[in-house]
Amino acid sequence: MGSGDATVVLADNSGPLQLADELIADLDEMQLPETGTSAAARPRPERLQRAHYSYWATLRSRIGDVDSNQHVNFIALATWYDEAVATFTSHSIGTSGAGSVPDLPPSSYQIQYLGEVTYPGDYEIGLTVRSVDTDSVHYERVVALHRPRLA
């Protein structure tokens, strides 16, 4: 998740262009409200420990997940999170691949990047339930490089 500001100056060879008052008014109407919230804090130390997560799903990055910087893009990561939640839910209710797919539309995501997720790569999504409300479930998830365990 990120936030930022940008200043755009429209210009031609003679310098900055004067914007019409009507255009300025239209742009003012489209301006997002100030939220007054600060940037998200880094994850708590326990979130970096494997034991914090009660469920793990293995995933492999695909070439279509990669952006122009050769990293798995945030849309792919959000999809991975959705896959982990759906797999966890199916497993928890005992359908594990059989039966209907749970209807789990996310209402929001918050992604804190701590390292690169690249292609090719085998990863694991760790998941734990943070809290449950009357109409929602809040999860904490992590993407970790898959390290096969030796027998």
Side-chain angles (χ1 to χ4, degrees):
M1 176 179 236
S3 65
D5 296 330
T7 302
V8 178
V9 177
L10 301 175
D12 62 13
N13 291 338
S14 65
L17 299 175
Q18 291 293 338
L19 299 179
D21 290 338
E22 184 177 304
L23 177 57
I24 292 172
D26 288 345
L27 292 171
D28 281 339
E29 287 179 19
M30 292 189 303
Q31 185 174 350
L32 296 173
E34 290 293 326
T35 63
T37 59
S38 58
R42 290 307 225 184
R44 300 178 315 277
E46 67 270 16
R47 297 233 12 229
L48 301 177
Q49 302 299 317
R50 185 174 185 86
H52 179 74
Y53 302 93
S54 59
Y55 183 81
W56 290 86
T58 303
L59 294 166
R60 174 170 282 171
S61 62
R62 302 168 305 174
I63 191 64
D65 297 334
V66 177
D67 62 20
S68 60
N69 295 316
Q70 301 305 305
H71 302 114
V72 172
N73 69 49
F74 73 97
I75 297 295
L77 287 175
T79 301
W80 289 10
Y81 293 153
D82 289 344
E83 291 288 334
V85 169
T87 303
F88 167 75
T89 303
S90 293
H91 178 77
S92 297
I93 62 177
T95 58
S96 295
S100 62
V101 176
D103 184 19
L104 304 167
S107 61
S108 67
Y109 290 99
Q110 181 178 355
I111 299 175
Q112 297 168 329
Y113 295 95
L114 302 177
E116 295 178 349
V117 179
T118 59
Y119 172 85
D122 291 326
Y123 295 92
E124 291 180 291
I125 309 296
L127 179 143
T128 193
V129 175
R130 182 180 63 212
S131 63
V132 178
D133 299 333
T134 57
D135 60 353
S136 61
V137 179
H138 303 270
Y139 299 97
E140 291 180 349
R141 290 161 283 196
V142 66
V143 176
L145 189 60
H146 177 64
R147 301 194 195 290
R149 292 176 182 80
L150 299 175

